[in-house]
Amino acid sequence: AQSVAQPEDQVNVAEGNPLTVKCTYSVSGNPYLFWYVQYPNRGLQFLLKYITGDNLVKGSYGFEAEFNKSQTSFHLKKPSALVSDSALYFCAVSYSGSARQLTFGSGTQLTVLP
Amino acid sequence: DAGVIQSPRHEVTEMGQEVTLRCKPISGHNSLFWYRQTMMRGLELLIYFNNNVPIDDSGMPEDRFSAKMPNASFSTLKIQPSEPRDSAVYFCASSSSVVGGFTDTQYFGPGTRLTVL
């Protein structure tokens, strides 16, 4: 079984400040973790993924995420937020027994205030 | 590449009518996924295909829903008869699976917003 939790429905941050969007997961094997972003009336866009190797993963648009096995977390971060980063962010997990199925979190609405 | 293409983008129909949603995956991708997104339930996987074969349809809500993939470049999701509770955004996604495949990145289409009156 696999599950993913995004504990915050909404995150507000001022433009130029660092941002963090939280994600925790639960899987029966080695996790494969993904972040997607959804802009209004658009499909989900892939940001980054962790498969193995370096715990810090760099992705599109300056985003990065840190895999923490002991805390079963995969938080999304960006050093300096832009107003254009405002969107809905989804964390997703699969694992070696999931046969390609991704389980998505409930999403976190990020609002970057000018 | 044009990305995943879905049609129509918006569909408004009346209860009891048949609805057909269409998807063209990215060329060369061999896995295709249908998702449904609602405020109440979030993003749910309905069914997925690998090499045109349905692998897992356990997410299909009931017999009113059916999906086909007659070839590598086309899939349909049909609802017959439609009900107001089927109103949602339906996404198609595709990926290029390798052996093992658990690490594949899925690429999503723009979605079809379905409203059943």
Coordinates of all heavy atoms in Angstrom, one line a residue, chain A residues 27-111:
Chain A
V27 N 5.1 4.0 2.2 CA 5.1 3.0 1.2 C 5.7 1.7 1.8 O 6.4 1.8 2.8 CB 5.9 3.3 -0.1 CG1 5.3 4.5 -0.8 CG2 7.4 3.6 0.3
S28 N 5.5 0.6 1.1 CA 6.0 -0.7 1.6 C 7.4 -1.0 1.2 O 8.0 -1.9 1.7 CB 5.0 -1.8 1.2 OG 3.7 -1.6 1.6
G29 N 7.9 -0.3 0.2 CA 9.2 -0.5 -0.4 C 10.0 0.8 -0.6 O 9.7 1.8 0.1
N30 N 10.9 0.8 -1.5 CA 11.6 2.0 -1.8 C 10.7 3.0 -2.5 O 10.1 2.6 -3.5 CB 12.8 1.7 -2.7 CG 13.9 0.9 -1.9 OD1 14.1 1.2 -0.8 ND2 14.5 0.0 -2.6
P31 N 10.6 4.2 -2.0 CA 9.7 5.2 -2.6 C 10.3 5.8 -3.9 O 11.5 6.1 -3.9 CB 9.5 6.2 -1.5 CG 10.8 6.2 -0.8 CD 11.3 4.8 -0.9
Y32 N 9.4 6.2 -4.8 CA 9.7 7.0 -5.9 C 8.8 8.2 -5.8 O 7.6 8.0 -5.8 CB 9.6 6.3 -7.2 CG 10.4 5.0 -7.2 CD1 9.7 3.8 -7.3 CD2 11.7 5.0 -7.1 CE1 10.5 2.6 -7.3 CE2 12.5 3.8 -7.1 CZ 11.8 2.6 -7.2 OH 12.5 1.4 -7.2
L33 N 9.3 9.4 -5.7 CA 8.6 10.6 -5.3 C 8.6 11.6 -6.4 O 9.6 11.9 -7.0 CB 9.1 11.1 -4.0 CG 9.0 10.2 -2.8 CD1 10.1 10.4 -1.8 CD2 7.6 10.4 -2.2
F34 N 7.5 12.3 -6.6 CA 7.3 13.2 -7.7 C 6.6 14.5 -7.1 O 5.8 14.4 -6.2 CB 6.4 12.6 -8.8 CG 6.9 11.4 -9.4 CD1 6.8 10.2 -8.7 CD2 7.4 11.4 -10.7 CE1 7.3 9.0 -9.3 CE2 7.8 10.2 -11.3 CZ 7.8 9.0 -10.6
W35 N 6.9 15.6 -7.8 CA 6.1 16.8 -7.6 C 5.6 17.3 -8.9 O 6.3 17.3 -9.9 CB 7.0 17.9 -7.0 CG 7.1 17.9 -5.5 CD1 8.1 17.4 -4.7 CD2 6.1 18.3 -4.6 NE1 7.8 17.6 -3.4 CE2 6.6 18.1 -3.3 CE3 4.8 18.9 -4.7 CZ2 5.9 18.4 -2.1 CZ3 4.1 19.2 -3.5 CH2 4.6 19.0 -2.3
Y36 N 4.3 17.7 -8.9 CA 3.7 18.2 -10.1 C 3.1 19.6 -9.7 O 2.7 19.8 -8.5 CB 2.5 17.3 -10.6 CG 3.0 16.1 -11.3 CD1 3.4 15.0 -10.6 CD2 3.0 16.1 -12.7 CE1 3.8 13.8 -11.3 CE2 3.4 14.9 -13.4 CZ 3.8 13.8 -12.7 OH 4.2 12.7 -13.4
V37 N 2.9 20.5 -10.7 CA 2.2 21.7 -10.5 C 1.1 21.9 -11.4 O 1.1 21.4 -12.6 CB 3.2 22.9 -10.6 CG1 3.8 23.0 -12.0 CG2 2.5 24.3 -10.3
Q38 N 0.0 22.5 -10.9 CA -1.2 22.7 -11.8 C -1.6 24.1 -11.7 O -1.9 24.7 -10.7 CB -2.4 21.8 -11.3 CG -3.6 21.9 -12.2 CD -4.7 21.0 -11.8 OE1 -4.9 20.7 -10.6 NE2 -5.6 20.6 -12.7
Y39 N -1.6 24.8 -12.9 CA -2.1 26.1 -13.0 C -3.5 26.1 -13.4 O -4.0 25.1 -13.9 CB -1.3 26.9 -14.1 CG 0.2 27.0 -13.7 CD1 1.2 26.2 -14.2 CD2 0.6 28.0 -12.8 CE1 2.5 26.3 -13.9 CE2 1.9 28.1 -12.5 CZ 2.9 27.3 -13.0 OH 4.2 27.4 -12.6
P40 N -4.3 27.1 -13.1 CA -5.7 27.1 -13.3 C -6.1 26.7 -14.8 O -5.5 27.1 -15.7 CB -6.1 28.6 -13.1 CG -5.1 29.1 -12.1 CD -3.8 28.4 -12.5
N41 N -7.0 25.8 -14.8 CA -7.6 25.3 -16.1 C -6.5 24.6 -17.0 O -6.6 24.6 -18.2 CB -8.2 26.4 -16.9 CG -9.4 27.0 -16.1 OD1 -10.2 26.3 -15.6 ND2 -9.4 28.4 -16.1
R42 N -5.5 24.1 -16.3 CA -4.4 23.4 -17.0 C -4.2 22.0 -16.4 O -4.7 21.7 -15.3 CB -3.1 24.2 -16.9 CG -3.2 25.6 -17.5 CD -3.2 25.6 -19.0 NE -2.0 25.1 -19.5 CZ -0.8 25.8 -19.7 NH1 -0.8 27.1 -19.3 NH2 0.2 25.3 -20.2
G43 N -3.6 21.1 -17.2 CA -3.2 19.8 -16.7 C -2.0 19.9 -15.7 O -1.4 21.0 -15.5
L44 N -1.7 18.8 -15.1 CA -0.5 18.8 -14.2 C 0.8 18.8 -15.0 O 0.9 18.1 -16.0 CB -0.6 17.5 -13.3 CG -1.5 17.6 -12.1 CD1 -2.9 17.6 -12.5 CD2 -1.2 16.4 -11.2
Q45 N 1.7 19.6 -14.5 CA 3.0 19.6 -15.1 C 4.1 19.1 -14.2 O 4.1 19.4 -13.0 CB 3.4 21.1 -15.5 CG 2.5 21.8 -16.5 CD 2.9 23.2 -16.7 OE1 4.1 23.5 -16.6 NE2 2.0 24.1 -17.0
F46 N 4.9 18.2 -14.7 CA 6.0 17.6 -14.0 C 7.1 18.6 -13.5 O 7.5 19.4 -14.4 CB 6.6 16.5 -14.8 CG 7.9 15.9 -14.2 CD1 7.8 15.1 -13.1 CD2 9.1 16.2 -14.8 CE1 9.0 14.5 -12.6 CE2 10.3 15.7 -14.3 CZ 10.2 14.8 -13.2
L47 N 7.4 18.6 -12.3 CA 8.5 19.5 -11.8 C 9.8 18.8 -11.5 O 10.8 19.2 -12.0 CB 8.0 20.1 -10.4 CG 7.1 21.4 -10.5 CD1 6.8 21.8 -9.1 CD2 7.8 22.5 -11.3
L48 N 9.7 17.7 -10.8 CA 10.9 16.9 -10.4 C 10.5 15.6 -9.8 O 9.4 15.4 -9.5 CB 11.8 17.7 -9.4 CG 11.1 18.2 -8.2 CD1 11.0 17.2 -7.1 CD2 11.9 19.4 -7.6
K49 N 11.5 14.7 -9.7 CA 11.3 13.4 -9.1 C 12.6 12.9 -8.4 O 13.7 13.3 -8.8 CB 10.8 12.4 -10.1 CG 11.8 12.0 -11.2 CD 11.2 11.0 -12.1 CE 12.2 10.6 -13.3 NZ 11.6 9.6 -14.2
Y50 N 12.3 12.1 -7.4 CA 13.4 11.4 -6.7 C 13.3 9.9 -7.0 O 12.2 9.3 -6.7 CB 13.4 11.6 -5.2 CG 14.3 10.7 -4.5 CD1 15.7 11.1 -4.4 CD2 13.9 9.6 -3.9 CE1 16.6 10.2 -3.7 CE2 14.8 8.7 -3.2 CZ 16.1 9.1 -3.2 OH 17.0 8.2 -2.5
I51 N 14.3 9.3 -7.5 CA 14.3 7.9 -7.7 C 15.4 7.2 -6.8 O 15.1 6.3 -6.0 CB 14.6 7.5 -9.2 CG1 13.6 8.2 -10.1 CG2 14.6 6.0 -9.4 CD1 12.2 7.9 -9.8
T52 N 16.6 7.7 -6.9 CA 17.7 7.2 -6.0 C 18.8 8.2 -6.1 O 18.8 9.1 -6.9 CB 18.1 5.8 -6.6 OG1 19.1 5.2 -5.6 CG2 18.8 5.9 -7.9
G53 N 19.8 8.0 -5.2 CA 21.0 8.8 -5.3 C 20.9 10.0 -4.4 O 20.4 9.9 -3.3
D54 N 21.4 11.2 -4.8 CA 21.4 12.4 -4.0 C 20.1 12.7 -3.5 O 19.1 12.8 -4.2 CB 22.0 13.5 -4.9 CG 22.4 14.7 -4.1 OD1 22.1 14.8 -2.9 OD2 23.1 15.6 -4.6
N55 N 20.0 13.0 -2.2 CA 18.7 13.3 -1.6 C 18.2 14.7 -2.0 O 17.0 14.9 -1.8 CB 18.9 13.3 0.0 CG 19.1 11.9 0.5 OD1 18.9 10.9 -0.2 ND2 19.6 11.8 1.7
L56 N 19.0 15.5 -2.5 CA 18.5 16.8 -3.0 C 18.3 16.8 -4.5 O 19.3 16.6 -5.2 CB 19.5 18.0 -2.6 CG 19.0 19.4 -3.0 CD1 17.8 19.7 -2.2 CD2 20.2 20.4 -2.7
V57 N 17.1 17.0 -4.9 CA 16.8 16.9 -6.3 C 16.4 18.3 -6.9 O 15.6 19.0 -6.2 CB 15.5 16.0 -6.5 CG1 15.2 15.9 -8.0 CG2 15.8 14.6 -6.0
K58 N 17.0 18.6 -8.0 CA 16.7 19.9 -8.6 C 15.8 19.7 -9.8 O 15.9 18.7 -10.5 CB 18.0 20.6 -9.0 CG 18.9 21.0 -7.8 CD 20.0 21.8 -8.2 CE 20.9 22.2 -7.1 NZ 20.2 23.0 -6.0
G59 N 14.8 20.6 -9.9 CA 13.9 20.5 -11.0 C 13.7 21.8 -11.8 O 14.5 22.6 -11.8
S60 N 12.5 21.8 -12.4 CA 12.2 23.0 -13.3 C 11.9 24.2 -12.5 O 11.5 24.2 -11.3 CB 10.9 22.6 -14.1 OG 11.1 21.4 -14.8
Y61 N 12.1 25.4 -13.1 CA 11.7 26.7 -12.6 C 12.4 27.0 -11.3 O 11.8 27.8 -10.5 CB 10.2 26.8 -12.4 CG 9.4 26.3 -13.7 CD1 8.5 25.3 -13.6 CD2 9.6 26.9 -14.9 CE1 7.8 24.8 -14.7 CE2 8.9 26.5 -16.0 CZ 8.0 25.4 -15.9 OH 7.3 25.0 -17.0
G62 N 13.5 26.5 -11.0 CA 14.3 26.8 -9.7 C 13.8 26.0 -8.5 O 14.3 26.3 -7.4
F63 N 12.9 25.1 -8.7 CA 12.4 24.3 -7.5 C 13.4 23.1 -7.2 O 14.1 22.6 -8.1 CB 11.0 23.7 -7.8 CG 9.9 24.7 -7.7 CD1 9.5 25.4 -8.8 CD2 9.3 24.9 -6.5 CE1 8.4 26.3 -8.7 CE2 8.3 25.9 -6.4 CZ 7.9 26.6 -7.5
E64 N 13.4 22.8 -6.0 CA 14.2 21.6 -5.6 C 13.4 20.9 -4.4 O 12.5 21.5 -3.9 CB 15.6 22.0 -5.1 CG 15.6 23.0 -3.9 CD 17.0 23.5 -3.6 OE1 17.8 23.6 -4.5 OE2 17.2 23.9 -2.5
A65 N 13.8 19.7 -4.2 CA 13.1 18.9 -3.1 C 14.1 18.0 -2.4 O 15.1 17.6 -3.1 CB 11.9 18.1 -3.7
E66 N 13.9 17.9 -1.2 CA 14.8 17.1 -0.4 C 14.2 15.8 0.1 O 13.2 15.9 0.8 CB 15.4 17.9 0.8 CG 16.5 17.1 1.6 CD 17.2 18.0 2.6 OE1 16.7 19.1 2.8 OE2 18.2 17.5 3.1
F67 N 14.7 14.7 -0.2 CA 14.2 13.4 0.2 C 14.9 13.1 1.6 O 16.1 13.1 1.8 CB 14.6 12.3 -0.7 CG 14.4 10.9 -0.3 CD1 13.1 10.5 0.0 CD2 15.4 10.0 0.0 CE1 12.8 9.2 0.4 CE2 15.2 8.7 0.4 CZ 13.9 8.3 0.6
N68 N 14.0 12.8 2.6 CA 14.4 12.5 3.9 C 13.8 11.2 4.3 O 12.6 11.1 4.7 CB 14.0 13.6 4.9 CG 14.6 13.4 6.3 OD1 14.6 12.3 6.8 ND2 15.2 14.5 6.9
K69 N 14.6 10.1 4.3 CA 14.1 8.8 4.5 C 13.7 8.6 6.0 O 12.6 8.0 6.2 CB 15.2 7.7 4.2 CG 14.6 6.3 4.2 CD 15.7 5.3 3.7 CE 15.1 3.9 3.7 NZ 16.1 2.9 3.1
S70 N 14.4 9.1 6.9 CA 14.1 8.9 8.3 C 12.7 9.6 8.7 O 12.0 9.1 9.5 CB 15.2 9.4 9.2 OG 15.4 10.8 9.0
Q71 N 12.5 10.7 8.1 CA 11.2 11.5 8.3 C 10.2 11.2 7.3 O 9.1 11.7 7.4 CB 11.5 13.0 8.4 CG 12.5 13.4 9.5 CD 12.6 14.9 9.6 OE1 11.9 15.6 8.9 NE2 13.5 15.3 10.5
T72 N 10.4 10.3 6.4 CA 9.5 10.0 5.2 C 8.9 11.2 4.7 O 7.7 11.3 4.5 CB 8.4 9.0 5.7 OG1 7.6 9.5 6.7 CG2 9.1 7.7 6.2
S73 N 9.8 12.1 4.3 CA 9.3 13.4 3.7 C 10.0 13.7 2.4 O 11.1 13.2 2.1 CB 9.5 14.5 4.7 OG 10.9 14.8 4.9
F74 N 9.3 14.6 1.7 CA 9.9 15.0 0.4 C 9.3 16.4 0.1 O 8.5 16.7 -0.7 CB 9.4 14.1 -0.7 CG 10.1 14.3 -2.1 CD1 11.5 14.2 -2.2 CD2 9.3 14.5 -3.2 CE1 12.1 14.4 -3.4 CE2 9.9 14.7 -4.4 CZ 11.3 14.6 -4.6
H75 N 9.8 17.4 0.9 CA 9.3 18.8 0.8 C 9.9 19.5 -0.4 O 11.1 19.4 -0.7 CB 9.7 19.5 2.1 CG 9.2 18.9 3.4 ND1 8.0 18.2 3.4 CD2 9.7 18.9 4.6 CE1 7.8 17.8 4.7 NE2 8.8 18.2 5.4
L76 N 9.0 20.3 -1.0 CA 9.4 21.1 -2.1 C 9.8 22.5 -1.7 O 9.2 23.1 -0.8 CB 8.2 21.2 -3.1 CG 8.4 22.0 -4.4 CD1 9.2 21.2 -5.3 CD2 7.0 22.3 -5.0
K77 N 10.9 23.0 -2.3 CA 11.5 24.2 -1.8 C 11.9 25.1 -3.0 O 12.2 24.6 -4.1 CB 12.7 24.0 -0.9 CG 12.3 23.2 0.4 CD 13.5 23.0 1.3 CE 13.2 22.2 2.5 NZ 14.3 22.1 3.4
K78 N 11.9 26.4 -2.7 CA 12.5 27.3 -3.7 C 13.1 28.5 -2.9 O 12.4 29.0 -2.0 CB 11.4 27.8 -4.6 CG 12.0 28.7 -5.8 CD 10.9 29.0 -6.8 CE 11.5 29.8 -7.9 NZ 10.5 30.2 -9.0
P79 N 14.3 28.9 -3.2 CA 14.9 29.9 -2.4 C 14.2 31.3 -2.4 O 14.2 32.0 -1.4 CB 16.3 30.0 -3.0 CG 16.5 28.8 -3.7 CD 15.2 28.4 -4.2
S80 N 13.7 31.6 -3.6 CA 13.1 33.0 -3.7 C 11.8 32.8 -4.6 O 11.8 32.6 -5.8 CB 14.1 33.9 -4.4 OG 13.5 35.2 -4.6
A81 N 10.6 33.0 -3.9 CA 9.4 32.8 -4.6 C 9.0 33.9 -5.6 O 9.3 35.1 -5.3 CB 8.3 32.7 -3.6
L82 N 8.3 33.6 -6.6 CA 7.8 34.5 -7.6 C 6.3 34.5 -7.6 O 5.7 33.5 -7.3 CB 8.3 34.2 -9.0 CG 9.8 34.1 -9.3 CD1 10.1 33.6 -10.7 CD2 10.4 35.5 -9.1
V83 N 5.7 35.6 -7.9 CA 4.2 35.7 -8.0 C 3.7 34.6 -9.0 O 2.7 34.0 -8.8 CB 3.7 37.1 -8.4 CG1 2.2 37.1 -8.7 CG2 4.1 38.1 -7.3
S84 N 4.5 34.4 -10.0 CA 4.1 33.4 -11.1 C 4.2 31.9 -10.6 O 3.7 31.0 -11.3 CB 4.9 33.5 -12.3 OG 6.3 33.4 -12.0
D85 N 4.7 31.7 -9.4 CA 4.7 30.4 -8.8 C 3.4 30.0 -8.2 O 3.2 28.9 -7.8 CB 5.8 30.3 -7.7 CG 7.2 30.4 -8.3 OD1 7.4 30.0 -9.4 OD2 8.1 30.9 -7.6
S86 N 2.5 31.0 -8.0 CA 1.2 30.7 -7.4 C 0.5 29.7 -8.3 O 0.2 29.9 -9.5 CB 0.4 32.0 -7.4 OG 1.0 33.0 -6.6
A87 N 0.1 28.6 -7.6 CA -0.5 27.4 -8.3 C -0.8 26.4 -7.3 O -0.6 26.5 -6.1 CB 0.4 26.9 -9.4
L88 N -1.4 25.3 -7.8 CA -1.7 24.1 -7.0 C -0.6 23.1 -7.1 O -0.3 22.7 -8.3 CB -3.0 23.5 -7.4 CG -3.7 22.4 -6.5 CD1 -3.9 22.8 -5.1 CD2 -5.0 22.0 -7.2
Y89 N 0.0 22.6 -6.0 CA 1.1 21.7 -6.1 C 0.7 20.3 -5.5 O 0.1 20.2 -4.5 CB 2.3 22.3 -5.3 CG 2.9 23.5 -6.0 CD1 2.3 24.7 -5.9 CD2 4.1 23.3 -6.8 CE1 2.9 25.8 -6.6 CE2 4.6 24.4 -7.5 CZ 4.0 25.6 -7.3 OH 4.6 26.7 -8.0
F90 N 1.1 19.3 -6.3 CA 0.8 17.9 -5.9 C 2.1 17.1 -5.7 O 2.9 17.1 -6.6 CB -0.1 17.2 -7.0 CG -1.5 17.7 -7.1 CD1 -1.8 18.7 -8.0 CD2 -2.5 17.2 -6.3 CE1 -3.1 19.2 -8.1 CE2 -3.8 17.7 -6.4 CZ -4.1 18.7 -7.3
C91 N 2.1 16.4 -4.6 CA 3.1 15.4 -4.3 C 2.5 14.1 -4.7 O 1.3 13.8 -4.6 CB 3.5 15.4 -2.9 SG 4.8 14.3 -2.4
A92 N 3.4 13.2 -5.2 CA 2.9 11.8 -5.6 C 4.0 10.8 -5.3 O 5.2 11.1 -5.3 CB 2.5 11.8 -7.1
V93 N 3.5 9.6 -5.1 CA 4.5 8.5 -4.7 C 4.1 7.2 -5.5 O 2.9 6.9 -5.7 CB 4.5 8.3 -3.2 CG1 3.1 7.7 -2.7 CG2 5.6 7.3 -2.8
S94 N 5.1 6.5 -5.9 CA 4.9 5.1 -6.3 C 6.1 4.3 -5.6 O 6.9 4.9 -5.0 CB 5.0 5.0 -7.8 OG 6.3 5.3 -8.3
Y95 N 6.0 3.1 -5.8 CA 7.1 2.2 -5.3 C 7.2 1.0 -6.1 O 6.4 0.7 -7.0 CB 6.9 1.9 -3.8 CG 5.8 0.9 -3.5 CD1 6.1 -0.3 -3.0 CD2 4.5 1.3 -3.6 CE1 5.1 -1.2 -2.7 CE2 3.4 0.4 -3.3 CZ 3.8 -0.8 -2.9 OH 2.7 -1.7 -2.6
S96 N 8.2 0.2 -5.8 CA 8.5 -1.0 -6.6 C 7.4 -2.0 -6.8 O 7.3 -2.7 -7.7 CB 9.8 -1.7 -6.1 OG 9.6 -2.1 -4.8
G97 N 6.4 -2.0 -5.8 CA 5.3 -2.9 -5.9 C 4.1 -2.3 -6.5 O 3.0 -3.0 -6.6
S98 N 4.2 -1.1 -7.0 CA 2.9 -0.4 -7.4 C 2.6 -0.5 -8.9 O 1.6 0.1 -9.3 CB 3.0 1.1 -7.0 OG 4.0 1.7 -7.8
A99 N 3.5 -1.1 -9.6 CA 3.2 -1.3 -11.0 C 2.8 0.0 -11.7 O 1.8 0.1 -12.4 CB 2.1 -2.4 -11.2
R100 N 3.6 1.0 -11.6 CA 3.5 2.2 -12.3 C 2.3 3.1 -11.8 O 2.1 4.2 -12.3 CB 3.3 2.1 -13.8 CG 4.4 1.3 -14.4 CD 4.2 1.2 -15.9 NE 5.1 0.3 -16.5 CZ 4.9 -1.0 -16.6 NH1 3.8 -1.5 -16.1 NH2 5.8 -1.8 -17.1
Q101 N 1.6 2.7 -10.7 CA 0.6 3.6 -10.3 C 1.1 4.7 -9.4 O 1.9 4.4 -8.4 CB -0.4 2.8 -9.5 CG -1.2 1.9 -10.4 CD -2.4 1.3 -9.7 OE1 -3.0 1.9 -8.9 NE2 -2.8 0.1 -10.0
L102 N 0.7 5.9 -9.6 CA 1.1 7.0 -8.8 C -0.1 7.3 -7.9 O -1.2 7.3 -8.3 CB 1.3 8.3 -9.6 CG 2.7 8.4 -10.3 CD1 2.7 9.7 -11.1 CD2 3.8 8.5 -9.2
T103 N 0.2 7.5 -6.6 CA -0.8 8.0 -5.6 C -0.5 9.5 -5.4 O 0.6 9.8 -5.0 CB -0.8 7.2 -4.3 OG1 -1.1 5.8 -4.6 CG2 -1.7 7.8 -3.3
F104 N -1.5 10.3 -5.6 CA -1.3 11.8 -5.4 C -1.8 12.2 -4.1 O -2.8 11.7 -3.5 CB -2.1 12.5 -6.5 CG -1.4 12.5 -7.9 CD1 -1.6 11.4 -8.7 CD2 -0.6 13.5 -8.3 CE1 -1.0 11.3 -10.0 CE2 0.0 13.4 -9.5 CZ -0.2 12.3 -10.3
G105 N -1.2 13.3 -3.5 CA -1.7 13.9 -2.4 C -2.8 14.8 -2.7 O -3.2 14.9 -3.9
S106 N -3.4 15.5 -1.7 CA -4.6 16.3 -1.9 C -4.3 17.6 -2.5 O -5.2 18.4 -2.9 CB -5.3 16.4 -0.6 OG -4.5 17.0 0.4
G107 N -3.1 18.0 -2.6 CA -2.7 19.3 -3.2 C -2.5 20.4 -2.2 O -3.2 20.4 -1.2
T108 N -1.6 21.3 -2.5 CA -1.4 22.5 -1.7 C -1.5 23.7 -2.6 O -0.7 23.8 -3.6 CB 0.0 22.5 -1.0 OG1 0.0 21.3 -0.1 CG2 0.2 23.7 -0.2
Q109 N -2.4 24.6 -2.2 CA -2.5 25.9 -3.0 C -1.4 26.9 -2.5 O -1.5 27.3 -1.3 CB -3.9 26.5 -2.9 CG -4.1 27.8 -3.6 CD -4.0 27.5 -5.1 OE1 -4.6 26.6 -5.7 NE2 -3.2 28.4 -5.8
L110 N -0.5 27.2 -3.4 CA 0.6 28.2 -3.0 C 0.2 29.5 -3.6 O -0.1 29.6 -4.8 CB 1.9 27.7 -3.6 CG 3.0 28.7 -3.5 CD1 3.4 28.9 -2.0 CD2 4.2 28.3 -4.3
T111 N 0.2 30.5 -2.7 CA -0.1 31.9 -3.2 C 1.1 32.7 -2.8 O 1.5 32.8 -1.6 CB -1.3 32.5 -2.5 OG1 -2.5 31.6 -2.9 CG2 -1.6 33.9 -3.0

